[in-house]
Amino acid sequence: MKIAFVVYDGLTLLDFAGVCDPLTRLKTMGFLENIQWDICARTSKVRSVEGAMFLADRVDNNLAEYDYVIIPGGDGIRDLVQDKEFLRWITVQTDTTVVAAVCGGSLLLGAAGMLRTKRATTHPQLMGVLQHFAREVVADRIVDEGTIITAGGVTASIDLGLYLCEKIAGRDAREKIQSQMDYRNYSRI
């Protein structure tokens, strides 16, 4: 099991960390020994909107080699929705790779053409923009369309991480990770 956490200048830190924390606990809590993850970017260093620096494990690599690709939102999407090279890079077209986006990351999937036939969600303030890209925009916390999964605003990143834990390792694993995180507000809708 391989996971790519996509990072870029201007990402929102919690959009990244909220998904990353529960997913990496699949390994650290002993649910999956064979899980690996990489921080993937188009450049070797990126900075979040809050100022945190990320060093990429892999640069401009083939994201189709991963089982899951996670794309956070953040102010950086404003430029990236117009960046054809970035959009081409995140466009994964396999039946085996699941691409999941949080908050404004859904707009990146939309701009890449990955939501044309899909239901999707995003931050409530971005839903009007997402309507230009998706077949249907819904206010659900998480929308699972098979190989494309979208989540709402920033705190939905934690829910997405827990949802993916359950999808990967089962309900028991998700419940134990959720308990370890002391997160009581998990909601799939």
Side-chain angles (χ1 to χ4, degrees):
M1 168 78 49
K2 290 177 67 175
I3 301 173
F5 293 103
V6 171
V7 296
Y8 54 85
D9 283 325
L11 71 96
T12 296
L13 190 56
L14 184 54
D15 281 3
F16 164 82
V19 180
C20 182
D21 186 276
L23 283 173
T24 57
R25 286 174 192 253
L26 286 171
K27 184 168 190 163
T28 62
M29 290 178 65
F31 296 107
L32 292 176
E33 294 302 318
N34 68 338
I35 191 168
Q36 303 172 323
W37 54 85
D38 291 318
I39 306 295
C40 301
R42 299 282 322 279
T43 59
S44 61
K45 294 180 186 178
V46 300
R47 187 176 303 275
S48 75
V49 71
E50 300 85 2
M53 181 67 73
F54 287 84
L55 301 175
D57 298 311
R58 307 274 312 274
V59 176
D60 209 19
N61 57 313
N62 180 3
L63 296 176
E65 68 187 50
Y66 293 92
D67 299 293
Y68 288 86
V69 175
I70 313 298
I71 303 176
D75 289 347
I77 68 165
R78 291 180 183 148
D79 294 330
L80 292 177
V81 295
Q82 303 294 325
D83 184 334
K84 291 182 187 332
E85 290 303 313
F86 182 88
L87 297 175
R88 190 173 299 118
W89 179 58
I90 65 166
T91 303
V92 178
Q93 297 179 342
T94 73
D95 293 336
T96 58
T97 300
V98 173
V99 181
V102 178
C103 197
S106 297
L107 297 181
L108 295 173
L109 298 185
M114 298 171 71
L115 300 178
R116 285 187 201 110
T117 62
K118 308 286 185 194
R119 293 170 60 248
T121 194
T122 188
H123 189 284
Q125 294 177 351
L126 299 174
M127 287 189 176
V129 179
L130 189 60
Q131 287 179 346
H132 298 286
F133 299 119
R135 175 180 57 82
E136 181 183 355
V137 175
V138 295
D140 293 348
R141 196 96 165 131
I142 297 171
V143 176
D144 186 337
E145 290 283 289
T147 57
I148 302 289
I149 302 172
T150 53
V154 66
T155 60
S157 65
I158 300 169
D159 293 347
L160 177 60
L162 290 168
Y163 178 80
L164 292 174
C165 286
E166 185 170 331
K167 191 173 182 78
I168 294 166
R171 183 178 180 158
D172 185 58
R174 190 263 301 153
E175 287 177 346
K176 287 177 179 171
I177 290 168
Q178 178 181 342
S179 176
Q180 180 65 27
M181 292 173 63
D182 190 27
Y183 185 64
R184 299 180 185 119
N185 298 321
Y186 173 67
S187 174
R188 291 174 48 184
I189 55 172

